[in-house]
Amino acid sequence: MLTTDEHKKLLETARTIRHSIIDTTMKAGGAHIGGGLSMLDILVILYFKYLNIDPSNPDDPHRDRFILSKGHGAIGYVPTLAERGYFDKALLDTFNKFKSPFGMHPDSLKIKGCDASTGSLGHGLPMALGMALGAKMQKKDFNTYCIVGDGELNEGSNWEAAMAAAHHKADNLILFVDRNMQMIDGPVEQIMGLEPLADKWKAFGWETLEIDGHDMIELSKAIDYALEIKGKPTVLIAKTIKGKGVDFMEDQTKWHYGAIDSEKGKQAHLSVDKMYADLGI
């Protein structure tokens, strides 16, 4: 459960990182900004509230693991790692440039604090399950968290992992579905319908919750609940908005990937500030 002070600090951190995402996208010449913004509040509450991690000791064998299965969302992930202190934020200026450690998809061999290289969709949940089962076999108490995109659930490997996770009672695995309803080709339900999505996960044997993926209090309650579940994995279907915080991007398929010039950048920054001002931040 969040205290009032924690809630405010998480919102302030999310605002700071949203501005960082905009600036990084401008300097990079483009990025998968829509999905980076939709999942950001999940990243913030994990990295600044729940994950048992130490940026000064990123390879601690007892640390919690995090897998960004929707690796094209690196534009949201990398600024979060920078804000958490894994590396100098000035390095964000190199995003997707020659010899930069940061590409459009995260590379665990180059990015401090990144537990897995991802981007080929459908691979993250199987890897996360492997880490969760490895913890059990080694009798370690770390948890593994994973974020998948909703469009990514078109990939059958996710459902193989889902079946295996329930079979092996991987209760140290918590999955988030970034349910922003959009994918590269258009609205998810038009391209390959997922509904009834919650019923599918329940049928696969997962503890299943549907939540507001932008509400820090609701996210916190859901994570607290998931951490108490025993005997099965938990999936949090987080209802989000593609491009959240930037009014001209919100819920727009075309902002799956896009570039921002200086004028659009100014508009984006103003929109983010207005959203947080409306929240009293």
Side-chain angles (χ1 to χ4, degrees):
M1 184 67 177
L2 296 180
T3 66
T4 300
D5 187 54
E6 284 178 322
H7 187 210
K8 181 180 179 182
K9 287 181 178 177
L10 287 170
L11 291 175
E12 289 172 344
T13 300
R15 177 181 61 187
T16 296
I17 298 174
R18 278 191 162 86
H19 284 303
S20 184
I21 290 170
I22 293 165
D23 287 334
T24 303
T25 300
M26 289 173 63
K27 292 170 183 174
H32 296 84
I33 189 169
L37 291 168
S38 68
M39 69 175 177
L40 181 65
D41 297 306
I42 301 169
L43 288 172
V44 168
I45 200 165
L46 287 177
Y47 273 90
F48 293 86
K49 169 67 175 174
Y50 284 97
L51 290 180
N52 177 27
I53 51 174
D54 179 1
S56 68
N57 185 18
D59 297 321
D60 181 354
H62 300 288
R63 74 190 185 279
D64 285 340
R65 270 56 166 186
F66 172 77
I67 306 294
L68 178 64
S69 188
K70 46 172 287 184
H72 56 282
I75 189 62
Y77 181 43
V78 171
T80 300
L81 290 174
E83 190 67 27
R84 188 64 176 83
Y86 280 96
F87 43 81
D88 190 336
K89 286 188 278 188
L91 280 174
L92 294 175
D93 290 350
T94 72
F95 190 92
N96 207 41
K97 295 179 181 177
F98 185 55
K99 292 188 176 181
S100 173
F102 316 124
M104 285 295 167
H105 302 85
D107 185 335
S108 64
L109 298 179
K110 297 178 180 179
I111 302 175
K112 187 178 178 183
C114 178
D115 288 317
S117 302
T118 55
S120 185
L121 298 179
H123 288 187
L125 181 55
M127 285 192 286
L129 173 59
M131 292 178 181
L133 295 181
K136 285 183 174 291
M137 292 174 67
Q138 297 177 66
K139 301 189 184 307
K140 292 181 179 177
D141 60 0
F142 68 79
N143 293 303
T144 299
Y145 299 81
C146 179
I147 297 178
V148 298
D150 51 357
E152 182 182 0
L153 293 179
N154 292 172
E155 300 288 350
S157 50
N158 288 300
W159 299 104
E160 293 180 45
M163 182 168 54
H167 175 78
H168 291 290
K169 298 179 171 56
D171 49 17
N172 56 347
L173 173 61
I174 298 175
L175 175 67
F176 295 84
V177 178
D178 181 23
R179 187 69 163 125
N180 63 31
M181 306 298 291
Q182 300 287 337
M183 57 191 294
I184 190 171
D185 294 321
V188 172
E189 290 304 304
Q190 292 181 22
I191 304 303
M192 182 67 74
L194 295 174
E195 294 299 337
L197 183 56
D199 289 344
K200 287 182 171 70
W201 286 103
K202 290 174 185 176
F204 271 77
W206 287 57
E207 187 71 16
T208 305
L209 285 79
E210 295 181 273
I211 60 173
D212 181 341
H214 299 302
D215 186 326
M216 293 295 186
I217 294 174
E218 197 166 328
L219 281 165
S220 179
K221 289 180 179 177
I223 297 169
D224 286 341
Y225 176 81
L227 289 170
E228 295 299 319
I229 295 297
K230 301 301 178 186
K232 58 182 173 179
T234 299
V235 58
L236 306 178
I237 302 172
K239 298 177 182 179
T240 62
I241 298 172
K242 195 137 189 160
K244 176 67 173 177
V246 180
D247 52 10
F248 61 84
M249 294 183 187
E250 289 192 347
D251 202 30
Q252 299 293 314
T253 298
K254 66 181 180 180
W255 283 104
H256 179 85
Y257 180 95
I260 307 174
D261 59 19
S262 59
E263 185 56 38
K264 285 288 186 184
K266 290 178 183 177
Q267 293 178 38
H269 284 305
L270 287 171
S271 179
V272 166
D273 282 337
K274 182 181 184 305
M275 179 179 75
Y276 285 101
D278 289 345
L279 294 173
I281 301 299

